[in-house]
Amino acid sequence: MIYKRSSELFAEAQKVIPGGVNSPVRAFKAVGGDPIFVKEAKGAYLYDEDGNRLIDYINSWGPMILGHAYAPVVDAVIQKTKKGTSFGMPTEIETLIAELAVSMVPNVDKIRFVNSGTEACMSAVRLARGFTKKDKIIKFAGCYHGHSDSFLIQAGSGAVTFGSPNSPGVTEGTAKDTLLARYNDLENVESIINANKGEIACIIIEPVAGNMGCIPPVKGFLEGLRALCDANDILLVFDEVMTGFRLAKGGAQELLGVDADIVTFGKVIGGGLPVGAFAARKEIMNHLAPLGPVYQAGTLSGNPLAMAAGLAMLNELNSNPQIYKSIDQKTAYLHEGVAKVLQNYNITHTINRTGSMISVHFDETPIVDFETAAKGNNETFKKFFHGMLDNGVYIAPSAFETWFITEALSYKDLDETIGAVEKVTMKLK
Ligand code: KE4
């Protein structure tokens, strides 16, 4: 593959945008080399600035579940644009998408729209703190909830579970209210709760983790969190920015049968436009301004174009629930094909999958938390990534990300992908 034009554009971009990108993972730092610049996309394919066609397994990190430039979404945005792009005033379409989302998601009566997953998770935590009148939160090492200060926390020193900032600019004052637990380790969570009795507002978790690669909850883990929250007056926040409207119409709550108190959304809910949201039962949501004291706001929240894209997307998913079975079958087919190739060539690997989220780890230990995910052979992953790219397949440019399957993929695309895995794997040894 030739990437000449992408490299030229990257050089230009770096002169005026920090790192040449508007979000760090796009810079290919984890895999090396210059990033691909995309010219356009349609269905399951990206077309880069050098004219290469790439089968896309990132799909804008989740939103393009029905494929790029999906006609009902595109048409809805075009029609809405002709009538104005932003008013800063209430519009009917916000109510329409709110009613639809609330009808699809279990355990929620009301929803507030924002502009990103970060904003949704940040607001959800503030709401949980305001509702419970408690300050501390528990998050899990390896889970990502956006770049709000309370989430940019790494494991504290020694046995203490107080977090410490994992980015300059995050203060110790902020970090002290974020407690860090191990994913899939209920005892660890219980010990943190017992060490901070009466001080914890919420536990925020990715119900299926997607930011350490794909890590499903072990049997009983989420149910155990639910019980611990009920016994300790703690709110359970499901960060469904990745899983929402992807794992099922009702997201992870529906698929896994565990009830959250607050649910956050992003990605799919916006159909590719900037939309985040958070939802809960009305006794919680009514604490939000202007009804209640918990402040949260946004100039472009509920933006008409973004709402038009999101409503078109949710309408498609809600009226065609067979999409979920189809997309899960395609992911299972890919899983089986990739595993068979890696086994044939005796490449040490683990593949994690839930629904249409899947990740390949070059390590044989079960990947169940951040610690085991970090053991993966990153050198092998880098070779695998670039090999796949050279064979026209774009997978996540980091071993700590998940592949997102789109319904737009055909079985021919999947076979082509599995064929690319074979060509790459032959050279991995
Ligand atoms: P945004 O602010 O990026 O819309 O959403 C933050 C967020 C919150 N919660 C979860 C579970 C997420 O996965 C994300 C964002 N996901 C990353 C991919 N790992 C977005 C890609 C990027 O950062 O550029």
Side-chain angles (χ1 to χ4, degrees):
M1 291 278 193
I2 308 294
Y3 306 115
K4 184 170 173 297
R5 185 66 186 131
S6 279
S7 294
E8 287 166 358
L9 290 169
F10 187 46
E12 291 304 304
Q14 291 178 87
K15 293 174 190 162
V16 282
I17 302 172
V21 292
N22 285 304
S23 198
V25 73
R26 303 176 191 170
F28 279 18
K29 288 286 179 223
V31 290
D34 288 347
I36 295 292
F37 275 60
V38 175
K39 182 173 192 152
E40 57 189 305
K42 179 68 180 161
Y45 311 125
L46 297 172
Y47 299 89
D48 73 12
E49 290 285 357
D50 290 282
N52 299 312
R53 189 205 79 167
L54 301 169
I55 302 176
D56 187 7
Y57 283 94
I58 295 306
N59 288 291
S60 180
W61 302 99
M64 314 326 290
I65 190 171
L66 298 178
H68 290 287
Y70 188 67
V73 172
V74 171
D75 296 346
V77 174
I78 289 171
Q79 292 317 311
K80 188 57 86 173
T81 303
K82 293 173 184 169
K83 298 175 180 170
T85 55
S86 183
F87 316 119
M89 299 286 285
T91 59
E92 182 188 15
I93 195 167
E94 293 163 79
T95 306
L96 296 177
I97 186 175
E99 287 170 342
L100 178 56
V102 164
S103 74
M104 293 169 78
V105 177
N107 305 307
V108 302
D109 302 316
K110 292 190 175 181
I111 188 166
R112 171 64 60 86
F113 289 99
V114 292
N115 300 286
S116 70
T118 295
E119 218 184 326
C121 293
M122 174 182 79
S123 308
V125 161
R126 183 181 310 134
L127 177 59
R129 285 171 164 154
F131 181 76
T132 61
K133 298 182 177 45
K134 296 186 279 184
D135 294 346
K136 290 181 179 169
I137 68 170
I138 292 178
K139 80 172 289 288
F140 293 84
C143 281
Y144 178 68
H145 307 293
H147 63 91
S148 170
D149 284 7
S150 294
F151 304 136
L152 297 182
I153 305 295
Q154 62 197 351
S157 55
V160 291
T161 50
F162 294 144
S164 65
N166 74 1
S167 164
V170 176
T171 66
E172 290 297 342
T174 298
K176 71 175 176 39
D177 287 331
T178 299
L179 306 170
L180 221 61
R182 273 190 301 280
Y183 202 83
N184 279 323
D185 185 341
L186 212 48
E187 273 177 35
N188 175 240
V189 178
E190 189 162 17
S191 66
I192 293 170
I193 291 174
N194 292 336
N196 297 272
K197 269 292 184 206
E199 298 183 74
I200 300 171
C202 70
I203 293 176
I204 183 166
I205 188 166
E206 294 178 54
V208 173
N211 287 286
M212 308 182 245
C214 175
I215 298 187
V218 297
K219 194 166 170 37
F221 177 58
L222 294 180
E223 295 80 355
L225 289 184
R226 179 69 271 169
L228 284 170
C229 286
D230 292 342
N232 292 279
D233 185 28
I234 295 171
L235 294 183
L236 183 55
V237 181
F238 271 10
D239 174 352
E240 293 220 42
V241 168
M242 277 188 175
T243 58
F245 308 106
R246 170 170 282 278
L247 296 186
K249 270 170 51 169
Q253 284 192 102
E254 177 186 323
L255 182 76
L256 304 173
V258 177
D259 298 348
D261 295 304
I262 302 177
V263 196
T264 66
F265 301 102
K267 300 178 192 283
V268 173
I269 198 171
L273 266 67
V275 179
F278 56 109
R281 54 186 186 275
K282 51 180 172 289
E283 65 173 316
I284 296 175
M285 293 302 279
N286 288 347
H287 275 66
L288 277 175
L291 212 49
V294 178
Y295 196 69
Q296 180 275 326
T299 303
L300 294 173
S301 294
N303 170 271
L305 307 194
M307 296 290 94
L311 181 59
M313 172 64 83
L314 295 193
N315 269 323
E316 287 294 304
L317 294 170
N318 189 49
S319 41
N320 300 286
Q322 75 283 357
I323 286 171
Y324 290 107
K325 187 161 179 284
S326 171
I327 202 170
D328 290 358
Q329 285 170 340
K330 289 178 179 177
T331 312
Y333 183 87
L334 179 71
H335 182 164
E336 201 181 307
V338 173
K340 204 173 282 180
V341 169
L342 295 175
Q343 281 151 12
N344 289 349
Y345 287 86
N346 297 315
I347 300 290
T348 306
H349 72 282
T350 303
I351 297 177
N352 281 0
R353 169 169 61 92
T354 301
S356 57
M357 294 169 65
I358 184 170
S359 58
V360 177
H361 303 260
F362 292 103
D363 188 81
E364 60 193 358
T365 46
I367 311 291
V368 295
D369 57 18
F370 182 63
E371 199 180 330
T372 46
K375 285 187 182 152
N377 184 321
N378 203 41
E379 285 314 305
T380 303
F381 181 84
K382 286 159 81 168
K383 287 181 200 149
F384 184 71
F385 171 80
H386 283 289
M388 292 299 282
L389 194 60
D390 288 343
N391 282 280
V393 179
Y394 182 58
I395 65 172
S398 160
F400 289 94
E401 296 290 356
T402 295
W403 306 12
F404 295 96
I405 305 304
T406 171
E407 177 57 11
L409 280 165
S410 66
Y411 280 89
K412 182 171 174 296
D413 295 322
L414 295 168
D415 287 336
E416 192 177 323
T417 303
I418 294 162
V421 171
E422 176 130 34
K423 285 181 197 153
V424 173
T425 304
M426 278 185 227
K427 296 177 186 165
L428 277 185
K429 274 296 190 196

